[in-house]
Amino acid sequence: MKLCDFVVPGAIVPELPAGTKETAIRAMVSSLQKAGSIKAEDEENIVAAILKREELGSTGIGRGVAVPHTKHGSTDKLIAAIALAKDGVDFASLDGEPVYIVFLLVSPPDRPGDHLRGLENISRHLRNDHFCKFLRQSKTAEDIWELLKEADNNEL
Amino acid sequence: MSDAVIHRRTVTVVNEQGLHFRPCQLIALAAQQFSGSVVLSRGSTRADAKSLLELLTLAAERGTNLELEVSGSEGSELIEKVSQLFASGFQTPSQP
């Protein structure tokens, strides 16, 4: 599985407006809806499910990255949005640091393996300092998409 | 030389959703309380169990066997604790 297999090109948000964890999650789920990956009537329900998951423990993963996620029947395949927050968002991460990169995942409940492989893929790339640095420096959705392709091809 | 003792055990992922974010978080929280080293391996992929990011790279589905390796004093207590997390399917009585 590659990043470009599940990241939705139309759901890349290169500059999140300043705000909270909730506003970041809302903006990203909205981008998935606008890209046609989820239905408008499911949007609020998905936001609520992701926020509920955050209550169990922050998905701040360290290195200035968070991976909010939920399993939801509204999609039949793993999908993800990516957003950058230049000013940082407080995700209540374990390391106490703000979050600058957010990967938001929605996966079908009956495909746990795809969810695991999505998390594995993201985590593996996040261990690469070049990937994190170049991602944070990206200015446009096109820049981010190109970076994902380079990461998929092990060109970083 | 109790510090040099290495404890090893094979643990199996029994929960339906596999080693997803929350189980990895629980393992990392337990491992971070321990002063010695804690490694979980799946074949040639080794993950520092104190790192959530590394644990997530294991992508272990239900039924996967992993090798748990703990070194340091009081490692036997930690290996019990982590083994219990796996055996219980990561069901904890209270969420931290």
Side-chain angles (χ1 to χ4, degrees):
Chain A
M1 181 184 285
K2 296 186 170 188
L3 290 168
C4 292
D5 293 337
F6 61 96
V7 173
V8 177
I12 295 175
V13 185
E15 176 86 67
L16 273 174
T20 63
K21 178 199 283 200
E22 179 171 343
T23 60
I25 288 169
R26 283 191 181 281
M28 295 178 76
V29 175
S30 173
S31 72
L32 284 170
Q33 186 269 317
K34 286 178 185 147
S37 293
I38 57 169
K39 293 177 188 160
E41 63 256 37
D42 292 326
E43 188 175 333
E44 189 55 38
N45 196 257
I46 290 171
V47 168
I50 292 172
L51 290 174
K52 192 172 178 199
R53 165 61 190 83
E54 288 291 320
E55 287 175 11
L56 283 178
S58 172
T59 56
I61 202 173
R63 310 202 76 174
V65 183
V67 191
H69 57 270
T70 190
K71 297 187 174 79
H72 201 277
S74 59
T75 180
D76 59 4
K77 61 175 186 174
L78 172 66
I79 51 173
I82 296 181
L84 304 182
K86 300 286 186 244
D87 297 326
V89 180
D90 180 3
F91 248 79
S93 299
L94 284 178
D95 64 4
E97 297 296 320
V99 157
Y100 300 95
I101 301 169
V102 187
F103 284 83
L104 183 144
L105 275 71
V106 184
S107 55
D110 58 348
R111 306 275 291 270
D114 286 357
H115 179 74
L116 291 177
R117 282 184 283 279
L119 286 173
E120 181 274 330
N121 201 296
I122 291 168
S123 304
R124 179 161 40 86
H125 289 298
L126 289 176
R127 291 170 66 185
N128 181 336
D129 291 337
H130 294 298
F131 179 74
C132 293
K133 182 176 145 194
F134 293 146
L135 186 51
R136 280 187 63 174
Q137 288 173 345
S138 298
K139 303 284 184 209
T140 66
E142 290 74 22
D143 289 347
I144 295 171
W145 187 250
E146 285 304 312
L147 182 67
L148 299 184
K149 285 202 283 190
E150 288 173 20
D152 279 341
N153 294 328
N154 296 316
E155 292 170 355
L156 295 174
Chain B
M1 289 291 287
S2 60
D3 281 4
V5 173
I6 298 176
H7 301 268
R8 290 191 181 87
R9 189 175 295 182
T10 301
V11 289
T12 305
V13 179
V14 299
N15 58 310
E16 189 180 353
Q17 300 295 324
L19 214 58
H20 60 101
F21 201 96
R22 185 69 187 151
C24 290
Q25 218 164 26
L26 292 169
I27 295 167
L29 281 171
Q32 284 164 10
Q33 308 296 315
F34 182 68
S35 58
S37 86
V38 191
V39 174
L40 262 175
S41 305
R42 179 183 187 182
S44 59
T45 305
R46 285 169 64 84
D48 175 354
K50 297 183 182 188
S51 163
L52 179 56
L53 208 54
E54 292 200 16
L55 287 172
L56 286 168
T57 63
L58 295 173
E61 294 185 56
R62 181 164 70 167
T64 305
N65 289 326
L66 301 169
E67 296 303 318
L68 175 60
E69 185 179 302
V70 177
S71 58
S73 61
E74 298 177 10
S76 58
E77 288 175 28
L78 185 80
I79 209 162
E80 282 302 327
K81 191 173 179 180
V82 176
S83 300
Q84 185 54 37
L85 282 174
F86 275 88
S88 69
F90 301 95
Q91 300 296 315
T92 51
S94 59
Q95 301 285 357

